């Protein structure tokens, strides 16, 4: 169950990073709404990370959490923010995914 909580926490990390990106693109009340989304997502992500680390090793949980955030944010950048795509970018996204899966496999 805590692996599911950790994955959800990682998805909220993607959400707070994406909210920062959208806030940077907007002004006025829309910008403040994106910042509000950032703070809500950040809070939920951190609370879920704390919950997951009650039973999972902290090093593994943190690495998986940041890995999900990094991969998710990179993919959001590509698909939403039109970041550039090239072979090496995709290659390293896949190595991050492999590392996340590897940590899950070798954790007790």
């Amino acid at each position: 169950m805590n692996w599911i909580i950790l994955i959800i926490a990682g998805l909220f990390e993607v959400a707070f990073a994406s909210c920062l990106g959208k806030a940077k693109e907007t002004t006025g009340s829309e910008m403040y709404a994106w910042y509000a989304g950032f703070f809500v997502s950040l809070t939920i992500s951190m609370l879920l990370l704390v919950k997951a680390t009650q039973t999972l090793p902290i090093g593994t949980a943190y690495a998986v959490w940041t890995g999900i955030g990094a991969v998710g944010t990179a993919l959001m950048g590509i698909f939403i923010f039109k970041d550039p795509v090239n072979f090496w970018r995709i290659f390293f996204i896949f190595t991050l995914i492999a590392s996340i899966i590897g940590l899950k496999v070798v954790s007790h």
Side-chain angles (χ1 to χ4, degrees):
M1 180 64 176
N2 281 320
W3 282 103
I4 294 169
I5 290 171
L6 184 60
I7 290 168
I8 294 168
L11 294 175
F12 273 101
E13 184 183 4
V14 174
F16 77 68
S18 299
C19 286
L20 277 179
K22 293 299 280 183
K24 189 173 70 171
E25 296 177 348
T26 59
T27 59
S29 61
E30 186 179 358
M31 178 187 67
Y32 292 116
W34 285 112
Y35 280 127
F38 163 77
F39 285 114
V40 169
S41 298
L42 177 67
T43 302
I44 293 170
S45 182
M46 291 295 162
L47 290 172
L48 292 174
L49 178 62
V50 168
K51 175 68 176 154
T53 58
Q54 291 174 350
T55 58
L56 298 174
I58 185 71
T60 301
Y62 183 75
V64 170
W65 178 74
T66 58
I68 291 168
V71 169
T73 303
L75 292 175
M76 288 291 287
I78 290 169
F79 292 113
I80 304 298
F81 298 105
K82 306 301 182 211
D83 288 350
V85 181
N86 59 46
F87 170 80
W88 290 111
R89 187 176 186 106
I90 300 302
F91 173 79
F92 287 116
I93 288 172
F94 278 111
T95 61
L96 274 170
I97 293 168
S99 297
I100 294 166
I101 292 169
L103 283 170
K104 165 69 171 104
V105 169
V106 300
S107 294
H108 300 283

